[in-house]
């Protein structure tokens, strides 16, 4: 019976400096393979890397955003896929969606596992009119997950690209992040220091460095209890696997539906 499982969410940083950090990515997932994995900024090369280093896992074999934005992996001895989908929630990137999979444990318990990468505040549309796109996106995600999961067990993982309003939308939709659930504040999840990136620490939009912040989250709703929650500080040969830290949480189902 699967009553407790470990979930991870991770922004893979596209293909930036991949040659310099490939060994670190492989090492992370060799040492700490989660039962459930959600990723953002996925590319075909990193999808194949994860397939190789997670041989006991299955994922969605999809096109478009499933190969270039996000995907979801699960341990095949703990979960079986029932169905999956990608929902348009207004994210301003090609093929970016709310990606989800409905899973079943061997004892018949169902879990909706999902992920998204909300629009970056530096997107040209947002810089033009100064309207926060992530509030409406979070509201749409809450409504979509309500439709898909109802009062069943639901995990939503996200690079939220914000530090307030979209989190409040999710909270008001009944979701609780894995740190708040344990009476804690989240540590910083971005940026990772030190980084393998070279050059100045500002962006093309400003010379200012990106401030330390918590923008990677695991949210839960329904019959799930958070047991542990961690921002993983991991380096291999002095190199980080990404410019984000992974977030890992352990959950238990609190009731079963055989």
């Amino acid at each position: 019976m699967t009553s407790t499982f470990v979930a991870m969410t991770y922004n893979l940083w596209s293909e930036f400096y991949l040659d310099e950090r490939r060994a670190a990515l492989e090492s992370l997932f060799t040492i700490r393979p989660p039962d459930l994995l959600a990723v953002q900024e996925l590319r075909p090369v990193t999808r194949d890397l994860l397939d190789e280093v997670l041989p006991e896992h299955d994922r969605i074999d999809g096109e478009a955003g499933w190969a270039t934005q996000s995907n979801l992996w699960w341990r095949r001895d703990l979960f079986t896929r029932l169905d999956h989908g990608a929902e348009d929630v207004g994210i301003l990137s090609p093929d970016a969606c709310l990606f989800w999979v409905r899973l079943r444990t061997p004892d018949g318990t169902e879990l909706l596992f999902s992920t998204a990468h909300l629009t970056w505040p530096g997107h040209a549309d947002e810089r033009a009119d100064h309207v926060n796109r992530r509030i409406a996106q979070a509201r749409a995600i809450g409504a979509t997950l309500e439709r898909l999961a109802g009062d069943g067990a639901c995990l939503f993982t996200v690079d939220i690209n914000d530090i307030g309003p979209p989190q409040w939308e999710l909270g008001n939709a009944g979701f609780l992040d894995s740190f708040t659930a344990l009476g804690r504040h989240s540590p910083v999840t971005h940026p990772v220091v030190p980084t393998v990136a070279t050059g100045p620490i500002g962006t093309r939009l400003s010379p200012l460095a990106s401030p330390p912040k918590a923008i990677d989250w695991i949210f839960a709703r329904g019959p799930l209890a958070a047991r542990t929650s961690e921002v993983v500080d991991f380096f291999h040969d002095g190199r980080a696997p990404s410019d984000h830290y992974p977030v890992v949480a352990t959950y238990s189902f609190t009731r079963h539906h055989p």
Side-chain angles (χ1 to χ4, degrees), residues 42-53 59 73:
L42 181 69
R43 300 296 182 266
V45 62
T46 48
R47 179 197 58 191
D48 294 347
L49 182 154
L50 289 173
D51 284 346
E52 291 178 7
V53 78
R59 61 164 169 84
W73 278 258

Side-chain angles (χ1 to χ4, degrees), residues 87-121:
E87 310 285 330
D88 183 1
V89 290
I91 301 171
L92 303 181
S93 294
D95 299 319
C97 293
L98 169 65
F99 299 93
W100 60 270
V101 60
R102 194 183 312 276
L103 301 170
R104 177 179 288 162
T105 68
D107 72 347
T109 305
E110 292 188 9
L111 170 68
L112 194 85
F113 181 41
S114 59
T115 196
H117 186 183
L118 303 196
T119 297
W120 179 49

Side-chain angles (χ1 to χ4, degrees), residues 12-233:
L12 297 173
W13 200 14
S14 186
E15 296 179 61
F16 297 110
Y17 305 97
L18 183 57
D19 288 344
E20 291 86 348
R21 57 192 180 87
R22 181 188 301 270
L25 273 172
E26 293 171 344
S27 180
L28 169 66
F29 288 103
T30 299
I31 293 172
R32 299 195 57 158
D35 301 320
L36 297 175
L37 170 66
V39 301
Q40 305 84 40
E41 292 196 27
L42 181 69
R43 300 296 182 266
V45 62
T46 48
R47 179 197 58 191
D48 294 347
L49 182 154
L50 289 173
D51 284 346
E52 291 178 7
V53 78
L54 295 172
E56 298 179 347
H57 291 64
D58 289 329
R59 61 164 169 84
I60 301 301
D61 187 15
E63 299 179 350
W66 291 104
T68 60
Q69 289 285 351
S70 292
N71 211 312
L72 302 159
W73 278 258
W74 60 92
R75 269 184 54 181
R76 70 177 64 92
D77 62 332
L78 299 182
F79 297 96
T80 300
R81 182 187 67 85
L82 299 178
D83 60 349
H84 69 276
E87 310 285 330
D88 183 1
V89 290
I91 301 171
L92 303 181
S93 294
D95 299 319
C97 293
L98 169 65
F99 299 93
W100 60 270
V101 60
R102 194 183 312 276
L103 301 170
R104 177 179 288 162
T105 68
D107 72 347
T109 305
E110 292 188 9
L111 170 68
L112 194 85
F113 181 41
S114 59
T115 196
H117 186 183
L118 303 196
T119 297
W120 179 49
H123 190 283
D125 289 4
E126 187 160 333
R127 287 189 289 124
D129 61 16
H130 305 292
V131 174
N132 186 326
R133 287 349 193 235
R134 291 159 300 286
I135 298 173
Q137 291 163 12
R139 190 175 299 137
I141 287 166
T144 302
L145 293 176
E146 168 71 25
R147 171 174 57 83
L148 291 170
D151 63 356
C154 180
L155 279 188
F156 172 57
T157 69
V158 63
D159 175 347
I160 209 162
N161 263 325
D162 211 324
I163 56 169
Q167 286 94 323
W168 304 337
E169 290 290 336
L170 291 166
N172 290 332
F175 285 90
L176 201 62
D177 71 87
S178 58
F179 291 98
T180 301
L182 295 170
R184 300 176 52 200
H185 292 284
S186 174
V188 168
T189 71
H190 180 270
V192 172
V193 179
T195 176
V196 299
T198 59
I201 60 174
T203 75
R204 65 180 184 276
L205 302 181
S206 172
L208 298 182
S210 179
K213 54 199 172 293
I215 58 174
D216 303 272
W217 298 93
I218 299 176
F219 291 93
R221 198 176 75 166
L224 291 167
R227 303 302 187 191
T228 67
S229 190
E230 178 187 5
V231 172
V232 179
D233 190 9

